[in-house]
Structures are given as C-alpha cells and as structure tokens.
Amino acid sequence: MSLEVPNAETRSLAFRGETPVLEVRNRLESMEHMLHELCRRNGSQSGYDWPDSLFRLYTDLIDADLSEEEARDWVERVRSDALRDRIEDVSILKSRIGRMLESELAVCGPIRLSRGQRRVAALIGPTGVGKTTTIAKLAANFRLRENRRVGLITVDTYRIAAVEQLRTYADIIDLPMQVVSTPREMREAVQRFNGLDLVLIDTAGRSPKDEIKIRELRTLLSEARADEVHLVVSSVIGARALRQIIDHFQTASPTALLLTKLDEAPSLGGLLPVLSEGRLPLSYLTNGQNVPDDIEVADAGKLARMILRLEHLSGAEL
C-alpha cells in the first residue's frame, strides 16, 4: 500500500480546514457566476431560468446538429408558450418549432408539365453528388408513372462511365438520348426533342472554384434554353460548403436546390442556416440508389421534422 505525499495545494487546503471537494465546488460556483455575468453583459439571461423541459429541448436541438446559438434562439421563440401552458413534453415543443420552421423553408415543388408545352430541365452541381442517378429517377418516374414523353441529353463526356450509365437507363426505360459536347450540338439536340413533354439534361460535375467551366456550363444551358436548372448538392456537406457551392454556381443561374444522399447524412440540422435563407427553393430530395424510387418532392413540413429529428431520414419516394 502506497502513501500519496500531499502537494502544496492540498496542504494549504488542509491548513485552511477545506477539502479538495469543497474547493472544486467553490470553483464551479465561481465559473457559474462568471457565466451569469457574461450573459448579463451580452444582454441575455437565456438558459438560467429555463425549466427542465426547455433545457431538454435545448440539448435535443444541439444533438440535431443545430449550433448553440440557433438552439438557444429556437428555445427562446417557444419559451413564452411553454411557460404559459406549462408544457413539459419536449416532443410538443419540438412540434411547435417544426411548424414555425416550416414557414421559413422555401420549396418550389416538382417539375410541372403542361399539355402541349415542352419543358427543359437541367441538373448541375459538383462532382460525385449523384446527378446521373437522380436524372434517371426523374426520367423513369415521368415516363413510367406519368406516361410522359421524355428525352435525355448528356454533356458529361468527361466521364465515359457516366454516359454509358445514363444510356443504360435510357435503354431500359426506352427513352431517346443525345450526347453533346458543344453549344451548337446542344441547340440541335434540344430541337430534335421538340415534340416531347420533358427534356432532362445531365451535365458534368464541376468544381465550385472552376469559374471557367461553370461559365461554359452557362453557355450550354443558354443554348438549351432551360426552363429550370436544379443545383444538385449532397446533404452530407455542411452549411459553409453548401453556401460556397450556391455562391459559385450562381453563374449558371440555378432556379432550385436538389438535395441528395439523405441516407448518408447523419442529420440535416447543420444545413439549417442556409436552407432557412431561402436563396434557392428546394425541389427534390433523394435517399438511396434505387431507380425510380428513393426520390421525393421536397415538402417544407416533412423537411422541418427531419431537421428536428421528429422524422427519420428514411426511404424517399415520389
């Protein structure tokens, strides 16, 4: 059995008649006082007079990957209702936040086709986000489930495998397909599909920092006279990366945001700062590789519930 030689601090505590446990408690109280003072100076007393239900709500929002500031703001927004109604059920409080959040999430709905009018929709975005698989899902749903006349155009000639992948889908679904590499070829391909209901354009992935390639992409889409341009982004990325992608791809004039790979994302809370800005409305969400399944029209209410983890990021389907 070994004896521990008391250090100077322990001997000092013993001399004063205090114990290390009491000293730790005193330090914690001192830290708490400092935090109180800091909050007071910042003009906020948030959290120090919250009931247990609001504390649990706060920690649940943190677990959903909201920042501490965002979580505190949302708790404060439902605080008066919670105190007035004496709500102790955290799920009820989260449902209230969900309804409030729903009004802040911009969605634009699906690609809408009108009888006798052709619609041209293009998918753009960084590499590896699932554009080709997503365009196959859209094509299959419009062709097989809505019995629409659909044509495919791809300009992803940088990756031969991508062209062959889309061609395989086109053969299975029995769709016409054109491969183009220049603005003139794009214009001619779109003209050939003049009698169709929908033309879907698959593009090569571009680095958000490659401004020259993005300008080239804009030229191609201009020749196609695209009615809508969906910026395809993986939901695995964070808010900062998403904001940068949106900024850099503005040159290509995107009209909607399409989130993919929800099955790979641990949560969507980290994207909330950008999604709530409404810079680009959401059109579709995808979740998995299954064609034509694993895709659904973005719904603000469901998206809010997924962000708050009231609903799982489970199988999406049109």
Side-chain angles (χ1 to χ4, degrees), residues 18 125 173 193 204 308 315:
E18 297 178 335
I173 308 169
F193 288 159
L308 298 174

Side-chain angles (χ1 to χ4, degrees), residues 6 37 99 123 153 185 197 212 220 241 249 256 286 300 315:
E37 182 64 18
R99 290 192 293 272
L123 269 62
I153 296 177
E185 290 177 354
D197 298 314
I212 294 177
L220 284 167
F249 274 91
T286 77

Side-chain angles (χ1 to χ4, degrees), residues 57-75 77 94 97-98 101 104 239 266-276 303-310:
L57 175 63
Y58 175 78
T59 57
D60 282 358
L61 294 178
I62 295 295
D63 287 341
D65 280 347
L66 274 68
S67 69
E68 293 182 8
E69 181 179 0
E70 290 170 326
R72 185 174 61 250
D73 289 344
W74 281 108
V75 171
R77 291 177 66 173
K94 290 173 73 173
I97 292 179
L101 179 57
E104 299 186 7
S267 69
L268 295 179
L271 301 182
L272 179 57
V274 182
L275 297 180
S276 60
L303 184 61
R305 293 191 296 274
M306 288 191 293
I307 290 173
L308 298 174
R309 289 184 172 173
L310 291 173

Side-chain angles (χ1 to χ4, degrees), residues 276-292:
S276 60
E277 291 172 0
R279 296 174 59 186
L280 281 177
L282 278 164
S283 55
Y284 293 93
L285 307 173
T286 77
N287 186 347
Q289 299 295 312
N290 295 322
V291 177

Side-chain angles (χ1 to χ4, degrees), residues 31-313:
M31 291 174 63
E32 185 176 1
H33 174 76
M34 291 168 56
L35 286 173
H36 274 287
E37 182 64 18
L38 180 61
C39 287
R40 186 188 65 78
R41 291 178 181 177
N42 290 335
S44 172
Q45 292 291 340
S46 300
Y48 290 100
D49 53 355
W50 285 347
D52 289 344
S53 58
L54 292 183
F55 271 115
R56 293 198 302 273
L57 175 63
Y58 175 78
T59 57
D60 282 358
L61 294 178
I62 295 295
D63 287 341
D65 280 347
L66 274 68
S67 69
E68 293 182 8
E69 181 179 0
E70 290 170 326
R72 185 174 61 250
D73 289 344
W74 281 108
V75 171
E76 285 297 317
R77 291 177 66 173
V78 298
R79 180 185 181 190
S80 59
D81 291 340
L83 295 177
R84 182 182 64 249
D85 300 338
R86 296 183 180 180
I87 297 175
E88 298 296 332
D89 190 334
V90 177
S91 62
I92 295 178
L93 295 173
K94 290 173 73 173
S95 295
R96 290 191 177 183
I97 292 179
R99 290 192 293 272
M100 297 165 66
L101 179 57
E102 179 180 352
S103 64
E104 299 186 7
L105 297 174
V107 297
C108 60
I111 298 172
R112 292 183 174 88
L113 304 182
S114 301
R115 187 175 299 277
Q117 295 183 356
R118 185 194 61 185
R119 193 78 174 166
V120 179
L123 269 62
I124 65 173
T127 58
V129 296
K131 290 186 298 297
T132 301
T133 303
T134 300
I135 211 166
K137 294 174 183 177
L138 291 170
N141 276 287
F142 279 106
R143 177 69 182 91
L144 302 177
R145 294 179 176 173
E146 298 190 22
N147 198 28
R148 299 288 190 166
R149 296 169 298 171
V150 181
L152 300 177
I153 296 177
T154 180
V155 291
D156 194 353
T157 55
Y158 294 90
R159 295 188 305 132
I160 301 302
V163 175
E164 293 306 314
Q165 179 186 11
L166 192 60
R167 192 184 303 278
T168 299
Y169 285 128
D171 291 341
I172 294 173
I173 308 169
D174 191 22
L175 301 178
M177 174 177 160
Q178 295 286 322
V179 180
V180 305
S181 57
T182 67
R184 178 180 177 179
E185 290 177 354
M186 173 65 80
R187 183 171 62 253
E188 293 173 348
V190 172
Q191 290 174 349
R192 293 190 191 101
F193 288 159
N194 192 47
L196 302 182
D197 298 314
L198 175 64
V199 178
L200 293 169
I201 301 175
D202 188 20
T203 63
R206 309 292 189 186
S207 167
K209 298 180 181 180
D210 194 336
E211 296 181 3
I212 294 177
K213 292 297 183 182
I214 294 178
R215 284 199 295 268
E216 291 176 357
L217 180 61
R218 178 179 182 176
T219 301
L220 284 167
L221 297 179
S222 177
E223 290 296 330
R225 296 186 177 181
D227 297 297
E228 49 191 272
V229 179
H230 299 252
L231 176 57
V232 183
V233 180
S234 170
S235 56
V236 177
I237 65 174
R240 180 180 180 183
L242 177 56
R243 188 175 284 110
Q244 290 176 344
I245 290 172
I246 293 175
D247 288 342
H248 288 296
F249 274 91
Q250 282 302 311
T251 304
S253 302
T255 59
L257 188 67
L258 195 159
L259 280 181
T260 63
K261 303 187 178 183
L262 267 70
D263 54 313
E264 299 180 16
S267 69
L268 295 179
L271 301 182
L272 179 57
V274 182
L275 297 180
S276 60
E277 291 172 0
R279 296 174 59 186
L280 281 177
L282 278 164
S283 55
Y284 293 93
L285 307 173
T286 77
N287 186 347
Q289 299 295 312
N290 295 322
V291 177
D293 302 323
D294 295 342
I295 186 170
E296 68 177 340
V297 177
D299 176 83
K302 183 173 183 178
L303 184 61
R305 293 191 296 274
M306 288 191 293
I307 290 173
L308 298 174
R309 289 184 172 173
L310 291 173
E311 186 165 330
H312 295 296
L313 306 180

